[in-house]
Amino acid sequence: MTRSYLTLALAALIATPVVAAPAVDPALTAAINGPQRSAANKARDAYRHPAETLTFFGLKPNQNVVEISPSAGWYTEILAPYLKAKGSYTAAGSDPAASERAAKGVAAFQAKLAADPAAYDKVKVGVFAKGVYDKATPAGSADMVLTFRNVHNWYIGGFAPEAFKAFYAMLKPGGTLGVVEHHLPESMPDAMQEKSGYMKQSTVVKLAEAAGFKLVGTSNINANPKDTHDYPKGVWTLPPNYAEGETDKAKYAAIGESDRMTLKFVKPK
């Protein structure tokens, strides 16, 4: 009986086709390896896996793509040159009128674009903040909206539901929302989402589904099993922030950057 069961199980396993990961577009590889990227940003590819992540989301060079909260432009260095010839890239960042810090951040981002027109002269700059959503992206015009490690900010700030509704409005029917976020295990207290910088996958999915999105794929591309998720100063304890300074820095360096969920949603047609 046991041999028969094992034989059947083995036969089923052999009969199951192996589905290869999608091939990475050579043009995307070229953008990732391009001279417009800083050495410091390239060094973080080991944690952020841009080729695998963007391929998982289904990025194509002819798409109209909006990145929400690009910060200093880590993904801008890849997306802008990749989409320049055939597509469109909008960086929807902070509202410079919100604070002096926000204004300085926007000015630094714009200076980055101006310093390398060969890579960035086609970039559109929009605004995405509480109560101020991107005006550079007409409703129903985006093929893809991307955001990397930002959901916790909107959740803590009390406008996550509105943020996801704004993404939904930007996208064409059938368009994709790609989300990478610091991952909090479901077994840990919900309250940790209020201040740790980590979010539960179930929470992010509920926010997206409440806005009308459908979850169509998840990936462990950006997972980190070394991350214990329970640090004195939240996710910012880990690199690259090292919020504890020199305290246990070697330990946190050995852990690396945070454990992250990678989620693909679509706006139904």
Side-chain angles (χ1 to χ4, degrees):
M1 182 68 70
T2 301
R3 287 184 179 179
S4 177
Y5 174 81
L6 290 175
T7 299
L8 290 171
L10 180 59
L13 180 62
I14 293 172
T16 302
V18 176
V19 180
V24 176
D25 182 355
L28 179 57
T29 300
I32 291 169
N33 294 330
Q36 80 285 353
R37 297 194 68 210
S38 70
N41 284 347
K42 286 182 178 180
R44 299 181 70 186
D45 288 357
Y47 298 110
R48 296 190 170 187
H49 310 101
E52 297 86 349
T53 299
L54 295 173
T55 300
F56 171 73
F57 289 145
L59 180 71
K60 304 296 181 186
N62 62 346
Q63 290 178 321
N64 176 10
V65 177
V66 181
E67 183 186 1
I68 306 296
S69 299
S71 188
W74 196 93
Y75 263 101
T76 302
E77 291 183 359
I78 298 169
L79 293 167
Y82 180 69
L83 295 163
K84 180 178 179 179
K86 299 178 181 179
S88 175
Y89 170 69
T90 299
S94 300
D95 178 7
S99 66
E100 182 178 353
R101 179 181 177 184
K104 287 181 178 179
V106 172
F109 182 78
Q110 291 178 329
K112 177 186 183 74
L113 301 183
D116 191 352
Y120 306 126
D121 64 343
K122 297 290 183 66
V123 174
K124 300 175 184 178
V125 178
V127 174
F128 190 90
K130 186 175 183 179
V132 184
Y133 300 118
D134 184 38
K135 302 298 189 295
T137 304
S141 66
D143 296 294
M144 182 174 288
V145 171
L146 299 172
T147 190
F148 303 93
R149 306 168 314 283
N150 291 305
V151 178
H152 61 279
N153 292 320
W154 307 321
Y155 187 84
I156 293 170
F159 67 106
E162 290 76 14
F164 278 87
K165 289 177 183 176
F167 307 154
Y168 191 89
M170 291 177 191
L171 284 163
K172 299 175 181 178
T176 297
L177 170 64
V179 177
V180 176
E181 178 57 281
H182 308 296
H183 176 237
L184 184 69
E186 297 293 328
S187 61
M188 300 187 87
D190 286 350
M192 290 182 67
Q193 298 176 114
E194 298 289 347
K195 59 181 181 180
S196 71
Y198 290 97
M199 297 291 298
K200 291 187 175 183
Q201 181 170 315
S202 60
T203 300
V204 178
V205 171
K206 285 178 183 177
L207 287 165
E209 289 181 341
F213 287 104
K214 179 181 179 181
L215 178 68
V216 295
T218 64
S219 174
N220 290 324
I221 294 167
N222 297 300
N224 180 0
K226 295 180 182 179
D227 186 354
T228 59
H229 316 88
D230 56 355
Y231 308 107
K233 295 183 179 178
V235 71
W236 303 281
T237 305
L238 296 176
N241 294 294
Y242 293 111
E244 289 277 82
E246 295 301 314
T247 302
D248 291 328
K249 187 173 184 178
K251 180 181 77 172
Y252 299 133
I255 292 171
E257 295 192 20
S258 68
D259 178 31
R260 293 160 186 169
M261 66 183 95
T262 304
L263 310 177
K264 181 178 179 178
F265 301 92
V266 296
K267 177 177 180 177
K269 293 183 179 180

